[in-house]
Short mmCIF file of all heavy atoms in Angstrom, two decimals:
data_model
loop_
_atom_site.label_atom_id
_atom_site.label_comp_id
_atom_site.label_asym_id
_atom_site.label_seq_id
_atom_site.Cartn_x
_atom_site.Cartn_y
_atom_site.Cartn_z
N ARG A 300 0.85 -1.19 0.00
CA ARG A 300 0.00 0.00 0.00
C ARG A 300 0.89 1.24 0.00
O ARG A 300 1.93 1.26 0.68
CB ARG A 300 -0.88 0.00 1.26
CG ARG A 300 -1.93 1.09 1.31
CD ARG A 300 -3.06 0.83 0.35
NE ARG A 300 -4.13 1.81 0.49
CZ ARG A 300 -4.99 2.09 -0.48
NH1 ARG A 300 -4.92 1.45 -1.65
NH2 ARG A 300 -5.95 2.98 -0.30
N LEU A 301 0.50 2.24 -0.78
CA LEU A 301 1.28 3.46 -0.84
C LEU A 301 0.34 4.65 -0.65
O LEU A 301 -0.62 4.82 -1.42
CB LEU A 301 2.02 3.58 -2.18
CG LEU A 301 3.10 4.67 -2.27
CD1 LEU A 301 4.15 4.31 -3.31
CD2 LEU A 301 2.51 6.05 -2.63
N HIS A 302 0.60 5.45 0.37
CA HIS A 302 -0.17 6.66 0.63
C HIS A 302 0.72 7.85 0.26
O HIS A 302 1.76 8.08 0.90
CB HIS A 302 -0.57 6.75 2.10
CG HIS A 302 -1.30 5.54 2.59
ND1 HIS A 302 -2.63 5.31 2.33
CD2 HIS A 302 -0.87 4.48 3.33
CE1 HIS A 302 -3.01 4.17 2.90
NE2 HIS A 302 -1.95 3.65 3.50
N LEU A 303 0.32 8.60 -0.73
CA LEU A 303 1.08 9.76 -1.17
C LEU A 303 0.43 11.02 -0.59
O LEU A 303 -0.71 11.36 -0.93
CB LEU A 303 1.10 9.84 -2.70
CG LEU A 303 1.80 11.07 -3.30
CD1 LEU A 303 3.28 11.07 -2.95
CD2 LEU A 303 1.60 11.11 -4.81
N PHE A 304 1.15 11.71 0.28
CA PHE A 304 0.62 12.90 0.93
C PHE A 304 1.03 14.13 0.12
O PHE A 304 2.22 14.47 0.04
CB PHE A 304 1.12 12.99 2.38
CG PHE A 304 0.50 11.95 3.26
CD1 PHE A 304 1.05 10.67 3.36
CD2 PHE A 304 -0.64 12.23 3.99
CE1 PHE A 304 0.48 9.70 4.17
CE2 PHE A 304 -1.23 11.27 4.81
CZ PHE A 304 -0.67 10.00 4.90
N GLN A 305 0.04 14.76 -0.46
CA GLN A 305 0.25 15.89 -1.36
C GLN A 305 -0.23 17.18 -0.73
O GLN A 305 -1.41 17.31 -0.40
CB GLN A 305 -0.50 15.64 -2.67
CG GLN A 305 -0.51 16.83 -3.62
CD GLN A 305 -1.41 16.60 -4.80
OE1 GLN A 305 -1.02 15.96 -5.77
NE2 GLN A 305 -2.64 17.11 -4.73
N ARG A 306 0.67 18.14 -0.56
CA ARG A 306 0.27 19.45 -0.07
C ARG A 306 -0.27 20.30 -1.21
O ARG A 306 -1.29 20.96 -1.09
CB ARG A 306 1.46 20.16 0.60
CG ARG A 306 1.09 21.50 1.24
CD ARG A 306 2.27 22.14 1.93
NE ARG A 306 3.33 22.49 0.99
CZ ARG A 306 4.48 23.04 1.34
NH1 ARG A 306 4.75 23.25 2.62
NH2 ARG A 306 5.40 23.34 0.44
N THR A 307 0.44 20.27 -2.35
CA THR A 307 0.05 21.05 -3.51
C THR A 307 0.27 20.21 -4.76
O THR A 307 1.34 19.60 -4.91
CB THR A 307 0.89 22.34 -3.62
OG1 THR A 307 0.86 23.03 -2.37
CG2 THR A 307 0.34 23.24 -4.70
N ALA A 308 -0.69 20.19 -5.64
CA ALA A 308 -0.54 19.43 -6.89
C ALA A 308 0.49 20.11 -7.79
O ALA A 308 0.40 21.31 -8.05
CB ALA A 308 -1.88 19.35 -7.61
N PRO A 309 1.48 19.36 -8.27
CA PRO A 309 2.49 19.97 -9.14
C PRO A 309 2.03 20.02 -10.59
O PRO A 309 1.16 19.23 -11.01
CB PRO A 309 3.68 19.02 -8.99
CG PRO A 309 3.04 17.68 -8.75
CD PRO A 309 1.79 17.96 -7.94
N TRP A 310 2.61 20.93 -11.35
CA TRP A 310 2.45 20.89 -12.80
C TRP A 310 3.38 19.79 -13.32
O TRP A 310 4.58 19.79 -13.07
CB TRP A 310 2.85 22.22 -13.43
CG TRP A 310 1.79 23.28 -13.33
CD1 TRP A 310 1.70 24.28 -12.42
CD2 TRP A 310 0.66 23.44 -14.20
NE1 TRP A 310 0.59 25.06 -12.64
CE2 TRP A 310 -0.07 24.57 -13.74
CE3 TRP A 310 0.19 22.74 -15.31
CZ2 TRP A 310 -1.24 25.01 -14.36
CZ3 TRP A 310 -0.98 23.18 -15.93
CH2 TRP A 310 -1.67 24.30 -15.46
N VAL A 311 2.80 18.84 -14.04
CA VAL A 311 3.56 17.72 -14.59
C VAL A 311 3.43 17.74 -16.11
O VAL A 311 2.31 17.70 -16.63
CB VAL A 311 3.08 16.37 -14.03
CG1 VAL A 311 3.89 15.22 -14.61
CG2 VAL A 311 3.15 16.36 -12.50
N MET A 312 4.53 17.79 -16.78
CA MET A 312 4.56 17.82 -18.24
C MET A 312 5.06 16.48 -18.78
O MET A 312 5.77 15.75 -18.08
CB MET A 312 5.48 18.94 -18.74
CG MET A 312 5.22 20.30 -18.10
SD MET A 312 3.59 20.95 -18.45
CE MET A 312 3.87 21.57 -20.10
N PRO A 313 4.73 16.14 -20.02
CA PRO A 313 5.25 14.89 -20.60
C PRO A 313 6.77 14.90 -20.62
O PRO A 313 7.40 15.93 -20.90
CB PRO A 313 4.68 14.91 -22.02
CG PRO A 313 3.53 15.84 -21.99
CD PRO A 313 3.85 16.87 -20.95
N ARG A 314 7.35 13.76 -20.31
CA ARG A 314 8.81 13.65 -20.26
C ARG A 314 9.39 13.22 -21.61
O ARG A 314 10.49 13.62 -21.98
CB ARG A 314 9.19 12.63 -19.18
CG ARG A 314 10.67 12.52 -18.88
CD ARG A 314 10.87 11.56 -17.73
NE ARG A 314 12.26 11.38 -17.33
CZ ARG A 314 12.91 12.16 -16.50
NH1 ARG A 314 12.30 13.20 -15.97
NH2 ARG A 314 14.18 11.93 -16.19
N PHE A 315 8.68 12.37 -22.31
CA PHE A 315 9.14 11.85 -23.60
C PHE A 315 10.50 11.17 -23.47
O PHE A 315 11.37 11.31 -24.33
CB PHE A 315 9.20 12.96 -24.67
CG PHE A 315 7.88 13.64 -24.92
CD1 PHE A 315 7.76 15.02 -24.76
CD2 PHE A 315 6.75 12.91 -25.30
CE1 PHE A 315 6.54 15.66 -24.98
CE2 PHE A 315 5.53 13.55 -25.52
CZ PHE A 315 5.43 14.91 -25.37
N ASP A 316 10.65 10.45 -22.38
CA ASP A 316 11.90 9.71 -22.17
C ASP A 316 11.85 8.40 -22.96
O ASP A 316 10.78 7.82 -23.18
CB ASP A 316 12.09 9.41 -20.68
CG ASP A 316 13.45 8.81 -20.37
OD1 ASP A 316 14.39 9.07 -21.15
OD2 ASP A 316 13.56 8.09 -19.37
N ARG A 317 13.01 7.94 -23.37
CA ARG A 317 13.11 6.66 -24.06
C ARG A 317 14.56 6.22 -24.06
O ARG A 317 15.48 7.02 -23.84
CB ARG A 317 12.61 6.76 -25.50
CG ARG A 317 13.42 7.70 -26.37
CD ARG A 317 12.93 7.74 -27.80
NE ARG A 317 13.74 8.65 -28.61
CZ ARG A 317 14.88 8.32 -29.20
NH1 ARG A 317 15.39 7.08 -29.04
NH2 ARG A 317 15.55 9.20 -29.92
N ALA A 318 14.76 4.93 -24.30
CA ALA A 318 16.11 4.41 -24.46
C ALA A 318 16.62 4.72 -25.86
O ALA A 318 15.84 4.71 -26.83
CB ALA A 318 16.12 2.91 -24.22
N TYR A 319 17.89 5.03 -25.97
CA TYR A 319 18.49 5.23 -27.29
C TYR A 319 18.64 3.87 -27.98
O TYR A 319 19.06 2.89 -27.37
CB TYR A 319 19.85 5.89 -27.17
CG TYR A 319 19.79 7.38 -26.88
CD1 TYR A 319 20.30 7.90 -25.70
CD2 TYR A 319 19.24 8.25 -27.80
CE1 TYR A 319 20.24 9.26 -25.43
CE2 TYR A 319 19.18 9.61 -27.55
CZ TYR A 319 19.68 10.11 -26.37
OH TYR A 319 19.61 11.45 -26.10
N ALA A 320 18.30 3.84 -29.25
CA ALA A 320 18.50 2.62 -30.04
C ALA A 320 20.00 2.40 -30.23
O ALA A 320 20.81 3.33 -30.12
CB ALA A 320 17.80 2.75 -31.39
N GLY A 321 20.35 1.17 -30.55
CA GLY A 321 21.76 0.83 -30.74
C GLY A 321 22.44 1.68 -31.79
O GLY A 321 23.57 2.14 -31.62
N TRP A 322 21.73 1.93 -32.90
CA TRP A 322 22.33 2.72 -33.97
C TRP A 322 22.53 4.18 -33.53
O TRP A 322 23.51 4.81 -33.94
CB TRP A 322 21.49 2.66 -35.24
CG TRP A 322 20.14 3.32 -35.15
CD1 TRP A 322 18.96 2.76 -34.80
CD2 TRP A 322 19.86 4.71 -35.41
NE1 TRP A 322 17.94 3.68 -34.82
CE2 TRP A 322 18.47 4.89 -35.20
CE3 TRP A 322 20.63 5.80 -35.80
CZ2 TRP A 322 17.84 6.13 -35.36
CZ3 TRP A 322 20.02 7.03 -35.97
CH2 TRP A 322 18.63 7.18 -35.75
N GLU A 323 21.62 4.67 -32.69
CA GLU A 323 21.76 6.04 -32.20
C GLU A 323 22.99 6.17 -31.31
O GLU A 323 23.77 7.13 -31.42
CB GLU A 323 20.52 6.46 -31.42
CG GLU A 323 19.28 6.66 -32.25
CD GLU A 323 18.08 7.02 -31.39
OE1 GLU A 323 17.63 6.16 -30.61
OE2 GLU A 323 17.60 8.17 -31.49
N ARG A 324 23.17 5.22 -30.42
CA ARG A 324 24.33 5.26 -29.53
C ARG A 324 25.62 5.11 -30.31
O ARG A 324 26.63 5.76 -30.00
CB ARG A 324 24.21 4.17 -28.47
CG ARG A 324 23.05 4.37 -27.51
CD ARG A 324 23.01 3.31 -26.43
NE ARG A 324 24.11 3.44 -25.49
CZ ARG A 324 24.30 2.62 -24.46
NH1 ARG A 324 23.46 1.61 -24.24
NH2 ARG A 324 25.32 2.79 -23.64
N GLY A 325 25.58 4.27 -31.34
CA GLY A 325 26.76 4.12 -32.18
C GLY A 325 27.12 5.41 -32.88
O GLY A 325 28.30 5.80 -32.96
N LEU A 326 26.11 6.12 -33.38
CA LEU A 326 26.33 7.39 -34.05
C LEU A 326 26.85 8.44 -33.08
O LEU A 326 27.81 9.18 -33.38
CB LEU A 326 25.01 7.86 -34.69
CG LEU A 326 25.07 9.05 -35.64
CD1 LEU A 326 25.91 8.72 -36.86
CD2 LEU A 326 23.66 9.45 -36.06
N LEU A 327 26.23 8.51 -31.90
CA LEU A 327 26.65 9.48 -30.90
C LEU A 327 28.06 9.18 -30.38
O LEU A 327 28.83 10.09 -30.08
CB LEU A 327 25.66 9.48 -29.73
CG LEU A 327 24.28 10.09 -30.04
CD1 LEU A 327 23.26 9.68 -28.99
CD2 LEU A 327 24.39 11.62 -30.12
N ARG A 328 28.38 7.91 -30.29
CA ARG A 328 29.70 7.50 -29.80
C ARG A 328 30.79 7.85 -30.84
O ARG A 328 31.88 8.30 -30.47
CB ARG A 328 29.70 6.01 -29.51
CG ARG A 328 30.97 5.49 -28.85
CD ARG A 328 30.92 3.99 -28.67
NE ARG A 328 29.77 3.57 -27.90
CZ ARG A 328 28.77 2.82 -28.38
NH1 ARG A 328 28.80 2.42 -29.65
NH2 ARG A 328 27.76 2.46 -27.62
N ALA A 329 30.47 7.66 -32.11
CA ALA A 329 31.48 7.80 -33.16
C ALA A 329 31.68 9.22 -33.63
O ALA A 329 32.77 9.57 -34.11
CB ALA A 329 31.12 6.90 -34.33
N LEU A 330 30.65 10.06 -33.50
CA LEU A 330 30.70 11.40 -34.11
C LEU A 330 30.52 12.50 -33.06
O LEU A 330 29.39 12.86 -32.71
CB LEU A 330 29.63 11.53 -35.19
CG LEU A 330 29.74 10.59 -36.38
CD1 LEU A 330 28.56 10.80 -37.32
CD2 LEU A 330 31.06 10.82 -37.12
N PRO A 331 31.60 13.06 -32.54
CA PRO A 331 31.48 14.18 -31.59
C PRO A 331 30.69 15.35 -32.16
O PRO A 331 29.98 16.04 -31.41
CB PRO A 331 32.94 14.56 -31.32
CG PRO A 331 33.73 13.32 -31.62
CD PRO A 331 33.00 12.65 -32.74
N ALA A 332 30.80 15.58 -33.46
CA ALA A 332 30.06 16.69 -34.06
C ALA A 332 28.55 16.47 -33.97
O ALA A 332 27.78 17.42 -33.77
CB ALA A 332 30.47 16.85 -35.53
N TRP A 333 28.12 15.20 -34.07
CA TRP A 333 26.70 14.90 -33.94
C TRP A 333 26.25 15.12 -32.49
O TRP A 333 25.15 15.63 -32.25
CB TRP A 333 26.41 13.47 -34.39
CG TRP A 333 24.98 13.08 -34.29
CD1 TRP A 333 24.43 12.13 -33.48
CD2 TRP A 333 23.89 13.64 -35.02
NE1 TRP A 333 23.08 12.05 -33.66
CE2 TRP A 333 22.71 12.97 -34.61
CE3 TRP A 333 23.78 14.65 -35.99
CZ2 TRP A 333 21.45 13.28 -35.11
CZ3 TRP A 333 22.53 14.94 -36.51
CH2 TRP A 333 21.38 14.28 -36.06
N ARG A 334 27.10 14.73 -31.54
CA ARG A 334 26.77 14.99 -30.14
C ARG A 334 26.62 16.48 -29.89
O ARG A 334 25.73 16.92 -29.15
CB ARG A 334 27.85 14.42 -29.21
CG ARG A 334 27.97 12.91 -29.23
CD ARG A 334 28.66 12.38 -27.99
NE ARG A 334 30.01 12.85 -27.80
CZ ARG A 334 31.09 12.26 -28.30
NH1 ARG A 334 30.94 11.16 -29.05
NH2 ARG A 334 32.30 12.72 -28.06
N TRP A 335 27.48 17.27 -30.51
CA TRP A 335 27.40 18.73 -30.35
C TRP A 335 26.08 19.25 -30.91
O TRP A 335 25.44 20.11 -30.29
CB TRP A 335 28.58 19.39 -31.07
CG TRP A 335 28.61 20.88 -30.93
CD1 TRP A 335 29.16 21.60 -29.90
CD2 TRP A 335 28.06 21.84 -31.84
NE1 TRP A 335 28.99 22.96 -30.12
CE2 TRP A 335 28.31 23.13 -31.30
CE3 TRP A 335 27.38 21.74 -33.05
CZ2 TRP A 335 27.91 24.30 -31.94
CZ3 TRP A 335 26.96 22.90 -33.69
CH2 TRP A 335 27.24 24.16 -33.14
#
């Protein structure tokens, strides 16, 4: 059981978090200019 005690409701926006695909990490790892 979890009781969450809230004094004030926060504004919560979408995070749009995700894991990087293998090809994305490979590109970011290999190309500093792309990371920039």
Side-chain angles (χ1 to χ4, degrees):
R300 187 72 175 157
L301 192 154
H302 305 282
L303 177 64
F304 290 86
Q305 172 187 278
R306 184 178 64 181
T307 309
W310 280 98
V311 180
M312 310 297 281
R314 188 176 180 85
F315 301 122
D316 188 26
R317 64 178 180 84
Y319 284 116
W322 67 269
E323 290 178 293
R324 294 183 69 181
L326 190 64
L327 289 163
R328 187 183 303 115
L330 298 177
W333 180 246
R334 295 201 299 272
W335 182 86

